[in-house]
């Protein structure tokens, strides 16, 4: 049950989150070899606009597009362009809708045609890590518990957790406290309280965890050029668990 004093924030976040999730569902329909990431951006922009919302990434701190498209060794913040998707690519599409003054932020992985067994395992492990963390969230746990749940699962599968980027509080502001690290130790960090709204969005690398940002100031890539994967949900903390606001296909 949601405490009455948090109900409005949860409902407004869910409306924005459903729009962002819906944009990902639309993008899924057209992903195939030969499609450009600009086409994905156009679908995202139009879907969000049609739902009388705004694409929060557009012009945010100078970002030029409505979503982020991060292919293969791109960890996050890839900028849509005329780049063409090819058979075997994996990509993350990250979408945030702003509706009635509230944000909903989500991302997921897509496969372009048949992908390698290693890529399949990376994607599966990343999703499982996010859901493992979401499943332990409730009033009273520590932020370190989230990081530990992710890191333990990921490293057991032979992958590494990116440390340069993290989840974040969200609501009427796009990014705010707390920072939600995807690695850490149980029982450490801030205590999570009922009513908090934040993202969990682990970025997992096939090789080492180090990243670097390209000259465009946005695109982050793996230093060793191995594959990277990410999933993201916006969630709201309840007394006994949490609610996911960004469920998509």
């Amino acid at each position: 049950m949601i405490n009455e004093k948090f109900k409005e924030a949860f409902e407004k976040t869910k409306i924005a989150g459903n729009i962002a999730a819906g944009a990902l569902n639309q993008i899924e329909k057209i992903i195939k070899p030969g499609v450009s990431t600009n086409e994905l951006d156009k679908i995202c922009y139009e879907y969000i606009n049609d739902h009388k919302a705004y694409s929060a990434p557009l012009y945010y701190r100078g970002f030029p597009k409505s979503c982020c498209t991060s292919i293969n060794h791109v960890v996050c913040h890839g900028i849509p362009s005329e780049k063409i998707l090819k058979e075997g690519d994996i990509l993350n599409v990250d979408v945030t809708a702003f509706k009635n003054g509230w944000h909903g932020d989500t991302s997921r992985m897509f496969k372009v045609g048949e992908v390698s067994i290693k890529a399949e395992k990376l994607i599966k492990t990343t999703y499982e890590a996010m859901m493992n963390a979401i499943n332990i969230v409730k009033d009273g746990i520590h932020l370190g518990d989230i990081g530990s749940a992710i890191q333990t699962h990921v490293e057991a599968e032979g992958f590494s957790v990116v440390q340069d980027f993290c989840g974040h509080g969200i609501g009427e502001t796009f990014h705010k406290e707390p920072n939600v690290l995807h690695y850490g130790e149980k029982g450490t960090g801030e205590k999570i309280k009922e009513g908090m709204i934040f993202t969990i969005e682990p970025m997992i690398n096939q090789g080492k965890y180090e990243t670097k940002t390209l000259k465009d100031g946005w695109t982050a890539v793996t230093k060793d050029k191995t594959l990277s994967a990410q999933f993201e949900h916006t969630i709201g903390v309840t007394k006994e668990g949490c609610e996911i606001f960004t469920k998509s296909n």
Side-chain angles (χ1 to χ4, degrees), residues 141-152:
I141 74 160
H142 293 262
L143 284 173
D145 299 344
I146 291 174
S148 176
I150 292 167
Q151 186 176 17
T152 301

Side-chain angles (χ1 to χ4, degrees), residues 140-146 177-180 187-193 196 198:
I141 74 160
H142 293 262
L143 284 173
D145 299 344
I146 291 174
E177 294 295 322
N179 290 330
V180 183
T188 64
E190 181 183 342
K191 268 196 176 181
I192 292 168
K193 297 185 179 71
M196 290 173 79
F198 54 81

